[in-house]
């Protein structure tokens, strides 16, 4: 039995020292020291030994066990060290290698223009509102004094969701006037930017989806002079001091009187050129004094309160601001174009 123990010890040490992985080491431990292991088998067989032999063999067996356990521990430490060494080698970082360039985008030119507009109005005490693009026809038309039969309500102009023409993609940001009147305390000063939708073919100046910024003021004693003064100030901040504007009469169902505001062409200074189509002026926005009927439908006392509103096309503003010739460039999002701003 002593011989057997010595053989097991020699064999086991060889296997343990040759182990190249934790798994192999664990297999060796099971093979020799496990419940069904070879050393364990010998210890079980000790009952057959004589009384004199038993303690001697027992002691030897314990020594062998201790030696194997120590060998396994040592081998395990060595394996761990080797693994760490390897990992450190594999994960070695060369801090002198130039870094990968991270390409950072930037704001879209139209949103740069929008942020400028927002800043100007926030500076004048306006609140910025956000509203739904899917809107009730009641708010987009009826509450804005455009009754059944108004040409803009036609199916050929407007994207409806239902056959009763009750729900639609808003065709203007003006329903935000109604939403503000219905939810806010007077006096009101708001701007509401967002997407609007009309059944237009795509060309250099049209798109079925575009952006507007609605603006509205309702207070005591508000007049057309406030409208002109405020919008002139905004235009000077956007396009530079001394930028000339003109107000032309126009018609909108929800304002009376209504007007369109033009800015003098930045290219030719008003002489007439291809940019302004020979006019010398470029149309910028629609505006007017809010129709008393619109105020009344919102329960506002027109003997006390009056207001003005405007709607500005955001793409056009950005195109003028950055001298972009074609509307489609704004939506195509070609980075070669966007990187220029
Ligand atoms: N909603 C109008 C349009 O889309 C613009 C407008 C807004 C006119 C507010 C007057 C007052 O053309």
């Amino acid at each position: 039995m002593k011989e057997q123990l010595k053989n097991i010890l020699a064999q086991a040490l060889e296997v343990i020292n040759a182990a190249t992985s934790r798994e192999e080491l664990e297999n060796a431990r099971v093979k020799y020291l496990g419940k069904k292991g070879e050393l364990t088998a010998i210890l079980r067989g000790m009952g057959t030994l004589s009384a004199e032999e038993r303690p001697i063999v027992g002691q030897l067996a314990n020594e062998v066990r201790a030696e194997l356990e120590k060998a396994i521990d040592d081998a395990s430490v060595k394996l761990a060290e080797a693994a760490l060494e390897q990992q450190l080698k594999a994960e070695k970082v060369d801090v002198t290698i130039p870094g990968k360039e991270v390409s950072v985008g930037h704001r879209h030119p139209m949103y740069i223009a929008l942020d400028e507009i927002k800043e100007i109005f926030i500076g004048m005490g306006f609140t910025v509102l956000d509203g739904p693009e899917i809107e009730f026809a009641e708010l987009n038309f009826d509450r804005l004094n455009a009754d059944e039969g108004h040409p803009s309500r036609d199916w050929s102009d407007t994207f409806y969701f239902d056959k009763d023409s009750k729900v639609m993609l808003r065709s203007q940001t003006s329903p935000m006037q109604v939403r503000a009147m219905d939810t806010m305390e007077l006096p009101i000063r708001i701007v509401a930017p967002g997407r609007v939708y009309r059944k237009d073919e795509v060309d250099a100046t049209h798109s079925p989806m575009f952006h507007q910024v609605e603006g509205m003021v309702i207070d005591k004693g508000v007049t057309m002079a406030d409208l002109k003064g405020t919008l002139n100030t905004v235009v000077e901040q956007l396009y530079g001091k001394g930028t000339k504007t003109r107000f032309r009469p126009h018609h909108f169902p929800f304002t009376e009187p209504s007007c369109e505001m033009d800015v003098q062409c930045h290219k030719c200074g008003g002489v007439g050129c291809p940019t302004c189509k020979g006019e010398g002026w470029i149309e910028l926005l629609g505006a007017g004094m809010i129709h008393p009927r619109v105020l009344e439908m919102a329960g506002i006392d027109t003997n006390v309160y009056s207001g003005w509103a405007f709607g500005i096309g955001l793409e056009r503003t950005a195109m003028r601001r950055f001298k972009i010739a074609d509307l489609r460039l704004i939506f195509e999002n070609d980075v070669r174009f966007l990187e220029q701003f």
Side-chain angles (χ1 to χ4, degrees), residues 144 171-175 177 196 198 210 212-215 250-252 254-255 258-260 283 285-290 308-312:
L144 289 167
S171 62
Q172 49 185 355
T173 43
S174 299
Q177 292 182 30
V196 300
R198 291 179 197 176
F210 58 102
Q212 290 186 332
V213 182
E214 194 78 10
H250 201 75
H251 171 78
F252 298 107
F254 41 91
T255 47
S258 303
C259 62
E260 278 190 330
E283 180 201 317
L285 55 83
M289 298 305 293
I290 302 170
W308 58 263
F310 72 88
I312 186 170

Side-chain angles (χ1 to χ4, degrees), residues 82-196:
L84 180 65
E85 188 78 8
Q86 189 132 41
Q87 196 185 358
L88 287 175
K89 237 188 230 165
E91 293 177 2
K92 193 162 78 176
V93 175
D94 181 349
V95 292
T96 65
I97 291 175
K100 276 189 197 140
E101 204 177 314
V102 181
S103 71
V104 179
H106 64 85
R107 282 184 307 162
H108 189 286
M110 195 182 70
Y111 282 90
I112 298 175
L114 175 58
D115 284 351
E116 285 175 1
I117 293 172
K118 278 196 209 165
E119 280 299 310
I120 295 169
F121 279 101
I122 289 168
M124 295 194 292
F126 283 63
T127 302
V128 180
L129 291 190
D130 197 11
E133 289 168 29
I134 298 173
E135 184 57 282
F136 296 109
E138 193 195 340
L139 271 70
N140 194 94
F141 294 126
D142 302 80
R143 292 284 305 273
L144 289 167
N145 201 31
D147 294 333
E148 301 283 342
H150 192 274
S152 63
R153 301 187 71 139
D154 203 277
W155 272 72
S156 61
D157 287 334
T158 297
F159 294 102
Y160 288 103
F161 283 87
D162 55 337
K163 62 176 182 354
D164 300 328
S165 312
K166 282 189 161 29
V167 181
M168 57 181 286
L169 286 171
R170 64 179 176 187
S171 62
Q172 49 185 355
T173 43
S174 299
M176 288 308 291
Q177 292 182 30
V178 180
R179 289 182 175 271
M181 286 185 234
D182 284 354
T183 56
M184 294 173 79
E185 299 279 335
L186 296 168
I188 296 173
R189 275 197 291 272
I190 57 118
V191 282
R195 290 193 187 98
V196 300

Side-chain angles (χ1 to χ4, degrees), residues 36 98 103 112 203 243 296 319 332:
K36 291 177 184 156
S103 71
I112 298 175
D203 66 24
T243 305
E296 277 157 15
M319 284 166 77
E332 278 165 1

Side-chain angles (χ1 to χ4, degrees), residues 230-240 243 245 261 263 284:
T230 309
L231 293 180
N232 278 335
T233 307
V234 171
V235 164
E236 285 209 323
Q237 293 203 31
L238 267 181
Y239 299 118
T243 305
T245 60
M261 189 175 100
V263 268
L284 188 66

